[in-house]
Amino acid sequence: MTPLLENNEWSAHGFTPVPLSPPTAQVIVVTCLDHRLDPARILGLEPGDAPVIRNAGGRVTESVVADIAYLGFLARQVFGVEGPLFEIAVIHHTQCGTGFLADPGFRDQAAEATGVPAPTLAASTVDDPSVTVKEDVERLLGSPLLPPGTTVSGHVYDVDTGRVAMVLDTPTGT
């Protein structure tokens, strides 16, 4: 961690804090925690532009839905935002390590090693990102917790080319 703290010391020079406010890009990004993906770099985001929610596979879980619902609540209650709040961009990627979980033997070993139930691990699998990102967009659109006026889009990041392709763009949610 020492070299990273030294990097932080360097980057803190000339630091300008970003005030607490609604995200300027009006987007929430949901993506994988894979260290090959840097959402800020890939999408050209700056501090204050967009919240980024990351987990294994970038899957839309109950926890992700709850985080999005809370962000919608904050936007309305704290900042008085009216009308459409934001777009949720779900980004899965090629060569995702969760693809190994499609193999039942590997999944069982992972469940034993991590204490995470095998069905939970199976739900986080991204073996075909074009398919799984559509599933997650549908999961979000079907949630009663999705803030009114929210749009949802699904994308795939190609780790070989660095490009993000839109797979699904939906109309305004509930």
Side-chain angles (χ1 to χ4, degrees), residues 65-116:
V65 172
D67 287 347
I68 290 168
Y70 183 67
L71 289 169
F73 171 78
L74 280 177
R76 293 197 192 291
Q77 295 297 316
V78 175
F79 303 115
V81 175
E82 299 292 330
L85 292 176
F86 40 70
E87 176 178 351
I88 302 165
V90 181
I91 305 174
H92 291 187
H93 69 93
T94 59
Q95 301 176 23
C96 187
T98 64
F100 293 113
L101 295 170
D103 175 277
F106 184 90
R107 185 172 53 245
D108 289 343
Q109 289 178 338
E112 187 176 320
T114 64
V116 177

Side-chain angles (χ1 to χ4, degrees), residues 16-100:
T16 304
V18 177
L20 181 62
S21 64
T24 56
Q26 296 182 307
V27 173
I28 296 173
V29 177
V30 178
T31 195
C32 187
L33 51 76
D34 189 309
H35 61 282
R36 297 173 293 171
L37 281 70
D38 179 350
R41 188 173 195 171
I42 292 167
L43 301 172
L45 297 172
E46 296 291 333
D49 284 349
V52 177
I53 301 171
R54 297 179 76 165
N55 65 26
R59 299 306 307 262
V60 174
T61 62
E62 289 181 27
S63 178
V64 169
V65 172
D67 287 347
I68 290 168
Y70 183 67
L71 289 169
F73 171 78
L74 280 177
R76 293 197 192 291
Q77 295 297 316
V78 175
F79 303 115
V81 175
E82 299 292 330
L85 292 176
F86 40 70
E87 176 178 351
I88 302 165
V90 181
I91 305 174
H92 291 187
H93 69 93
T94 59
Q95 301 176 23
C96 187
T98 64
F100 293 113

Side-chain angles (χ1 to χ4, degrees), residues 91-94 129-130 133 154-158 163-167:
I91 305 174
H92 291 187
H93 69 93
T94 59
S130 294
V133 79
H155 312 266
V156 173
Y157 173 73
D158 186 321
R163 303 244 185 251
V164 177
M166 182 176 289
V167 174

